[in-house]
PDB file of all heavy atoms in Angstrom:
ATOM      1  N   LEU N  78     119.430  89.949  84.510  1.00 94.00           N
ATOM      2  CA  LEU N  78     119.852  89.864  85.925  1.00 94.00           C
ATOM      3  C   LEU N  78     119.938  88.391  86.265  1.00 94.00           C
ATOM      4  O   LEU N  78     118.964  87.673  86.499  1.00 94.00           O
ATOM      5  CB  LEU N  78     118.830  90.558  86.776  1.00 94.00           C
ATOM      6  CG  LEU N  78     118.443  92.065  86.429  1.00 94.00           C
ATOM      7  CD1 LEU N  78     117.296  92.469  87.233  1.00 94.00           C
ATOM      8  CD2 LEU N  78     119.698  92.869  86.662  1.00 94.00           C
ATOM      9  N   GLU N  79     121.247  87.848  86.195  1.00 94.00           N
ATOM     10  CA  GLU N  79     121.401  86.445  86.533  1.00 94.00           C
ATOM     11  C   GLU N  79     121.021  86.167  87.917  1.00 94.00           C
ATOM     12  O   GLU N  79     121.078  86.958  88.862  1.00 94.00           O
ATOM     13  CB  GLU N  79     122.903  86.141  86.365  1.00 94.00           C
ATOM     14  CG  GLU N  79     123.338  86.055  84.805  1.00 94.00           C
ATOM     15  CD  GLU N  79     124.668  85.596  84.544  1.00 94.00           C
ATOM     16  OE1 GLU N  79     125.389  85.145  85.538  1.00 94.00           O
ATOM     17  OE2 GLU N  79     125.039  85.524  83.376  1.00 94.00           O
ATOM     18  N   GLU N  80     120.516  84.973  88.204  1.00 91.00           N
ATOM     19  CA  GLU N  80     120.175  84.492  89.501  1.00 91.00           C
ATOM     20  C   GLU N  80     121.294  84.760  90.444  1.00 91.00           C
ATOM     21  O   GLU N  80     122.437  84.444  90.256  1.00 91.00           O
ATOM     22  CB  GLU N  80     119.770  83.002  89.542  1.00 91.00           C
ATOM     23  CG  GLU N  80     119.233  82.657  90.909  1.00 91.00           C
ATOM     24  CD  GLU N  80     118.716  81.230  90.821  1.00 91.00           C
ATOM     25  OE1 GLU N  80     118.358  80.630  89.742  1.00 91.00           O
ATOM     26  OE2 GLU N  80     118.666  80.578  91.858  1.00 91.00           O
ATOM     27  N   GLY N  81     120.918  85.431  91.556  1.00 88.00           N
ATOM     28  CA  GLY N  81     121.997  85.754  92.528  1.00 88.00           C
ATOM     29  C   GLY N  81     122.881  86.860  92.223  1.00 88.00           C
ATOM     30  O   GLY N  81     123.960  87.167  92.911  1.00 88.00           O
ATOM     31  N   TRP N  82     122.377  87.762  91.289  1.00 91.00           N
ATOM     32  CA  TRP N  82     123.143  88.936  90.844  1.00 91.00           C
ATOM     33  C   TRP N  82     123.461  89.744  92.050  1.00 91.00           C
ATOM     34  O   TRP N  82     124.441  90.479  92.149  1.00 91.00           O
ATOM     35  CB  TRP N  82     122.571  89.827  89.761  1.00 91.00           C
ATOM     36  CG  TRP N  82     121.338  90.449  90.127  1.00 91.00           C
ATOM     37  CD1 TRP N  82     119.962  89.925  90.115  1.00 91.00           C
ATOM     38  CD2 TRP N  82     121.159  91.810  90.325  1.00 91.00           C
ATOM     39  NE1 TRP N  82     119.067  90.876  90.522  1.00 91.00           N
ATOM     40  CE2 TRP N  82     119.814  92.093  90.586  1.00 91.00           C
ATOM     41  CE3 TRP N  82     122.108  92.844  90.502  1.00 91.00           C
ATOM     42  CZ2 TRP N  82     119.314  93.287  91.025  1.00 91.00           C
ATOM     43  CZ3 TRP N  82     121.607  94.165  90.879  1.00 91.00           C
ATOM     44  CH2 TRP N  82     120.143  94.296  91.068  1.00 91.00           C
ATOM     45  N   ILE N  83     122.473  89.964  92.971  1.00 88.00           N
ATOM     46  CA  ILE N  83     122.682  90.699  94.240  1.00 88.00           C
ATOM     47  C   ILE N  83     122.499  89.729  95.320  1.00 88.00           C
ATOM     48  O   ILE N  83     121.410  89.070  95.429  1.00 88.00           O
ATOM     49  CB  ILE N  83     121.703  92.003  94.383  1.00 88.00           C
ATOM     50  CG1 ILE N  83     122.120  92.573  95.568  1.00 88.00           C
ATOM     51  CG2 ILE N  83     120.292  91.612  94.245  1.00 88.00           C
ATOM     52  CD1 ILE N  83     121.596  94.154  95.509  1.00 88.00           C
ATOM     53  N   ALA N  84     123.453  89.578  96.145  1.00 76.00           N
ATOM     54  CA  ALA N  84     123.285  88.498  97.206  1.00 76.00           C
ATOM     55  C   ALA N  84     123.277  89.044  98.588  1.00 76.00           C
ATOM     56  O   ALA N  84     123.761  90.220  98.720  1.00 76.00           O
ATOM     57  CB  ALA N  84     124.592  87.557  97.030  1.00 76.00           C
ATOM     58  N   TYR N  85     122.545  88.428  99.450  1.00 70.00           N
ATOM     59  CA  TYR N  85     122.484  88.872 100.877  1.00 70.00           C
ATOM     60  C   TYR N  85     121.738  90.192 101.027  1.00 70.00           C
ATOM     61  O   TYR N  85     122.158  91.074 101.758  1.00 70.00           O
ATOM     62  CB  TYR N  85     123.763  88.831 101.631  1.00 70.00           C
ATOM     63  CG  TYR N  85     124.653  87.670 101.349  1.00 70.00           C
ATOM     64  CD1 TYR N  85     125.878  87.764 100.552  1.00 70.00           C
ATOM     65  CD2 TYR N  85     124.236  86.487 101.803  1.00 70.00           C
ATOM     66  CE1 TYR N  85     126.636  86.586 100.380  1.00 70.00           C
ATOM     67  CE2 TYR N  85     125.019  85.280 101.482  1.00 70.00           C
ATOM     68  CZ  TYR N  85     126.175  85.412 100.837  1.00 70.00           C
ATOM     69  OH  TYR N  85     126.855  84.294 100.631  1.00 70.00           O
ATOM     70  N   GLN N  86     120.583  90.318 100.254  1.00 72.00           N
ATOM     71  CA  GLN N  86     120.002  91.420 100.232  1.00 72.00           C
ATOM     72  C   GLN N  86     118.443  91.261 100.684  1.00 72.00           C
ATOM     73  O   GLN N  86     117.775  90.645  99.983  1.00 72.00           O
ATOM     74  CB  GLN N  86     119.863  92.223  98.798  1.00 72.00           C
ATOM     75  CG  GLN N  86     119.309  93.563  98.759  1.00 72.00           C
ATOM     76  CD  GLN N  86     120.013  94.544  99.576  1.00 72.00           C
ATOM     77  OE1 GLN N  86     121.159  94.559  99.630  1.00 72.00           O
ATOM     78  NE2 GLN N  86     119.306  95.459 100.197  1.00 72.00           N
ATOM     79  N   ASP N  87     118.229  91.877 101.918  1.00 75.00           N
ATOM     80  CA  ASP N  87     116.685  91.510 102.431  1.00 75.00           C
ATOM     81  C   ASP N  87     115.881  92.792 102.295  1.00 75.00           C
ATOM     82  O   ASP N  87     114.618  92.494 102.532  1.00 75.00           O
ATOM     83  CB  ASP N  87     116.880  91.101 103.936  1.00 75.00           C
ATOM     84  CG  ASP N  87     117.709  89.880 104.107  1.00 75.00           C
ATOM     85  OD1 ASP N  87     117.659  88.934 103.237  1.00 75.00           O
ATOM     86  OD2 ASP N  87     118.410  89.694 105.148  1.00 75.00           O
ATOM     87  N   GLU N  88     116.439  93.857 101.911  1.00 82.00           N
ATOM     88  CA  GLU N  88     115.624  95.072 101.881  1.00 82.00           C
ATOM     89  C   GLU N  88     115.253  95.445 100.431  1.00 82.00           C
ATOM     90  O   GLU N  88     115.916  94.953  99.583  1.00 82.00           O
ATOM     91  CB  GLU N  88     116.554  96.300 102.481  1.00 82.00           C
ATOM     92  CG  GLU N  88     117.035  96.066 103.781  1.00 82.00           C
ATOM     93  CD  GLU N  88     116.030  96.437 104.910  1.00 82.00           C
ATOM     94  OE1 GLU N  88     115.204  97.448 104.629  1.00 82.00           O
ATOM     95  OE2 GLU N  88     116.056  95.882 105.925  1.00 82.00           O
ATOM     96  N   VAL N  89     114.233  96.126 100.273  1.00 89.00           N
ATOM     97  CA  VAL N  89     113.823  96.566  98.954  1.00 89.00           C
ATOM     98  C   VAL N  89     114.822  97.604  98.442  1.00 89.00           C
ATOM     99  O   VAL N  89     115.230  98.470  99.065  1.00 89.00           O
ATOM    100  CB  VAL N  89     112.367  97.233  98.941  1.00 89.00           C
ATOM    101  CG1 VAL N  89     112.046  97.863  97.593  1.00 89.00           C
ATOM    102  CG2 VAL N  89     111.388  96.165  99.374  1.00 89.00           C
ATOM    103  N   ILE N  90     115.192  97.443  97.150  1.00 92.00           N
ATOM    104  CA  ILE N  90     115.973  98.407  96.459  1.00 92.00           C
ATOM    105  C   ILE N  90     115.109  99.179  95.534  1.00 92.00           C
ATOM    106  O   ILE N  90     114.388  98.617  94.815  1.00 92.00           O
ATOM    107  CB  ILE N  90     117.109  97.737  95.720  1.00 92.00           C
ATOM    108  CG1 ILE N  90     117.981  97.003  96.735  1.00 92.00           C
ATOM    109  CG2 ILE N  90     118.036  98.655  94.948  1.00 92.00           C
ATOM    110  CD1 ILE N  90     119.035  96.045  96.002  1.00 92.00           C
ATOM    111  N   THR N  91     115.318 100.539  95.512  1.00 94.00           N
ATOM    112  CA  THR N  91     114.422 101.324  94.527  1.00 94.00           C
ATOM    113  C   THR N  91     115.438 101.539  93.302  1.00 94.00           C
ATOM    114  O   THR N  91     116.497 101.962  93.477  1.00 94.00           O
ATOM    115  CB  THR N  91     114.135 102.690  95.257  1.00 94.00           C
ATOM    116  OG1 THR N  91     113.459 102.452  96.443  1.00 94.00           O
ATOM    117  CG2 THR N  91     113.319 103.628  94.338  1.00 94.00           C
ATOM    118  N   VAL N  92     114.783 101.413  92.116  1.00 96.00           N
ATOM    119  CA  VAL N  92     115.301 101.656  90.997  1.00 96.00           C
ATOM    120  C   VAL N  92     114.736 102.944  90.197  1.00 96.00           C
ATOM    121  O   VAL N  92     113.446 102.857  89.864  1.00 96.00           O
ATOM    122  CB  VAL N  92     115.296 100.463  89.967  1.00 96.00           C
ATOM    123  CG1 VAL N  92     116.010 100.850  88.654  1.00 96.00           C
ATOM    124  CG2 VAL N  92     115.839  99.318  90.550  1.00 96.00           C
ATOM    125  N   ALA N  93     115.418 104.075  90.281  1.00 97.00           N
ATOM    126  CA  ALA N  93     114.773 105.234  89.544  1.00 97.00           C
ATOM    127  C   ALA N  93     115.215 105.209  88.070  1.00 97.00           C
ATOM    128  O   ALA N  93     116.415 105.484  87.739  1.00 97.00           O
ATOM    129  CB  ALA N  93     115.323 106.537  90.301  1.00 97.00           C
ATOM    130  N   CYS N  94     114.262 105.045  87.300  1.00 97.00           N
ATOM    131  CA  CYS N  94     114.442 105.020  85.828  1.00 97.00           C
ATOM    132  C   CYS N  94     114.070 106.479  85.280  1.00 97.00           C
ATOM    133  O   CYS N  94     113.403 107.232  85.987  1.00 97.00           O
ATOM    134  CB  CYS N  94     113.717 103.917  85.173  1.00 97.00           C
ATOM    135  SG  CYS N  94     114.086 102.275  85.899  1.00 97.00           S
ATOM    136  N   SER N  95     114.410 106.615  83.976  1.00 97.00           N
ATOM    137  CA  SER N  95     114.129 107.987  83.383  1.00 97.00           C
ATOM    138  C   SER N  95     112.596 108.276  83.301  1.00 97.00           C
ATOM    139  O   SER N  95     112.096 109.313  83.317  1.00 97.00           O
ATOM    140  CB  SER N  95     114.662 108.029  81.972  1.00 97.00           C
ATOM    141  OG  SER N  95     114.072 106.983  81.226  1.00 97.00           O
ATOM    142  N   ASP N  96     111.666 107.081  83.357  1.00 97.00           N
ATOM    143  CA  ASP N  96     110.319 107.383  83.403  1.00 97.00           C
ATOM    144  C   ASP N  96     109.532 106.802  84.609  1.00 97.00           C
ATOM    145  O   ASP N  96     108.284 106.630  84.493  1.00 97.00           O
ATOM    146  CB  ASP N  96     109.741 106.720  82.134  1.00 97.00           C
ATOM    147  CG  ASP N  96     109.933 105.130  82.093  1.00 97.00           C
ATOM    148  OD1 ASP N  96     110.664 104.623  82.983  1.00 97.00           O
ATOM    149  OD2 ASP N  96     109.323 104.428  81.201  1.00 97.00           O
ATOM    150  N   GLY N  97     110.220 106.625  85.702  1.00 96.00           N
ATOM    151  CA  GLY N  97     109.511 106.212  86.913  1.00 96.00           C
ATOM    152  C   GLY N  97     110.358 105.272  87.720  1.00 96.00           C
ATOM    153  O   GLY N  97     111.459 105.182  87.599  1.00 96.00           O
ATOM    154  N   LEU N  98     109.726 104.661  88.821  1.00 96.00           N
ATOM    155  CA  LEU N  98     110.434 103.862  89.764  1.00 96.00           C
ATOM    156  C   LEU N  98     110.035 102.363  89.643  1.00 96.00           C
ATOM    157  O   LEU N  98     108.862 102.056  89.255  1.00 96.00           O
ATOM    158  CB  LEU N  98     110.012 104.395  91.157  1.00 96.00           C
ATOM    159  CG  LEU N  98     110.447 105.617  91.595  1.00 96.00           C
ATOM    160  CD1 LEU N  98     109.916 106.007  92.946  1.00 96.00           C
ATOM    161  CD2 LEU N  98     111.965 105.785  91.507  1.00 96.00           C
ATOM    162  N   LEU N  99     110.973 101.495  89.862  1.00 96.00           N
ATOM    163  CA  LEU N  99     110.766 100.118  89.980  1.00 96.00           C
ATOM    164  C   LEU N  99     111.354  99.763  91.414  1.00 96.00           C
ATOM    165  O   LEU N  99     112.132 100.491  92.066  1.00 96.00           O
ATOM    166  CB  LEU N  99     111.542  99.377  89.012  1.00 96.00           C
ATOM    167  CG  LEU N  99     111.068  99.412  87.583  1.00 96.00           C
ATOM    168  CD1 LEU N  99     112.097  98.778  86.539  1.00 96.00           C
ATOM    169  CD2 LEU N  99     109.809  98.876  87.393  1.00 96.00           C
ATOM    170  N   LYS N 100     111.027  98.514  91.834  1.00 94.00           N
ATOM    171  CA  LYS N 100     111.504  98.021  93.105  1.00 94.00           C
ATOM    172  C   LYS N 100     112.070  96.602  92.898  1.00 94.00           C
ATOM    173  O   LYS N 100     111.467  95.886  92.075  1.00 94.00           O
ATOM    174  CB  LYS N 100     110.452  97.958  94.256  1.00 94.00           C
ATOM    175  CG  LYS N 100     110.046  99.402  94.521  1.00 94.00           C
ATOM    176  CD  LYS N 100     109.143  99.484  95.842  1.00 94.00           C
ATOM    177  CE  LYS N 100     108.604 100.826  96.059  1.00 94.00           C
ATOM    178  NZ  LYS N 100     109.637 101.832  96.437  1.00 94.00           N
ATOM    179  N   ILE N 101     113.134  96.266  93.590  1.00 92.00           N
ATOM    180  CA  ILE N 101     113.736  94.897  93.546  1.00 92.00           C
ATOM    181  C   ILE N 101     113.769  94.444  94.983  1.00 92.00           C
ATOM    182  O   ILE N 101     114.115  95.117  95.878  1.00 92.00           O
ATOM    183  CB  ILE N 101     115.204  95.134  93.107  1.00 92.00           C
ATOM    184  CG1 ILE N 101     115.270  95.595  91.538  1.00 92.00           C
ATOM    185  CG2 ILE N 101     115.893  93.763  93.186  1.00 92.00           C
ATOM    186  CD1 ILE N 101     116.568  95.942  91.060  1.00 92.00           C
ATOM    187  N   LEU N 102     113.475  93.205  95.109  1.00 88.00           N
ATOM    188  CA  LEU N 102     113.518  92.510  96.338  1.00 88.00           C
ATOM    189  C   LEU N 102     114.142  91.104  96.072  1.00 88.00           C
ATOM    190  O   LEU N 102     113.533  90.356  95.192  1.00 88.00           O
ATOM    191  CB  LEU N 102     112.104  92.357  96.953  1.00 88.00           C
ATOM    192  CG  LEU N 102     112.077  91.644  98.449  1.00 88.00           C
ATOM    193  CD1 LEU N 102     112.848  92.329  99.424  1.00 88.00           C
ATOM    194  CD2 LEU N 102     110.524  91.500  98.949  1.00 88.00           C
ATOM    195  N   ALA N 103     115.089  90.631  96.863  1.00 84.00           N
ATOM    196  CA  ALA N 103     115.665  89.366  96.629  1.00 84.00           C
ATOM    197  C   ALA N 103     116.163  89.122  95.097  1.00 84.00           C
ATOM    198  O   ALA N 103     116.121  88.075  94.651  1.00 84.00           O
ATOM    199  CB  ALA N 103     114.885  88.228  97.104  1.00 84.00           C
ATOM    200  N   GLY N 104     116.659  90.227  94.558  1.00 87.00           N
ATOM    201  CA  GLY N 104     117.150  90.215  93.189  1.00 87.00           C
ATOM    202  C   GLY N 104     116.075  90.066  92.123  1.00 87.00           C
ATOM    203  O   GLY N 104     116.395  90.043  90.879  1.00 87.00           O
ATOM    204  N   GLU N 105     114.862  90.200  92.405  1.00 89.00           N
ATOM    205  CA  GLU N 105     113.722  90.391  91.441  1.00 89.00           C
ATOM    206  C   GLU N 105     113.042  91.576  91.306  1.00 89.00           C
ATOM    207  O   GLU N 105     112.810  92.236  92.391  1.00 89.00           O
ATOM    208  CB  GLU N 105     112.636  89.082  91.738  1.00 89.00           C
ATOM    209  CG  GLU N 105     113.277  87.669  91.846  1.00 89.00           C
ATOM    210  CD  GLU N 105     113.586  87.231  90.483  1.00 89.00           C
ATOM    211  OE1 GLU N 105     112.967  87.515  89.458  1.00 89.00           O
ATOM    212  OE2 GLU N 105     114.652  86.446  90.388  1.00 89.00           O
TER     213      GLU N 105
END
């Protein structure tokens, strides 16, 4: 995930994987 891959994102993004959830905030 290159720096700035997702820009202008202030909310948490949920990542639903095959074995559970991750969260992304500010691209991390």
Side-chain angles (χ1 to χ4, degrees):
L78 302 173
E79 290 187 357
E80 187 174 336
W82 70 277
I83 186 162
Y85 313 114
Q86 186 64 39
D87 299 328
E88 304 277 331
V89 171
I90 298 170
T91 301
V92 182
C94 301
S95 62
D96 63 346
L98 298 176
L99 292 171
K100 294 191 185 293
I101 295 173
L102 182 60
E105 299 290 326

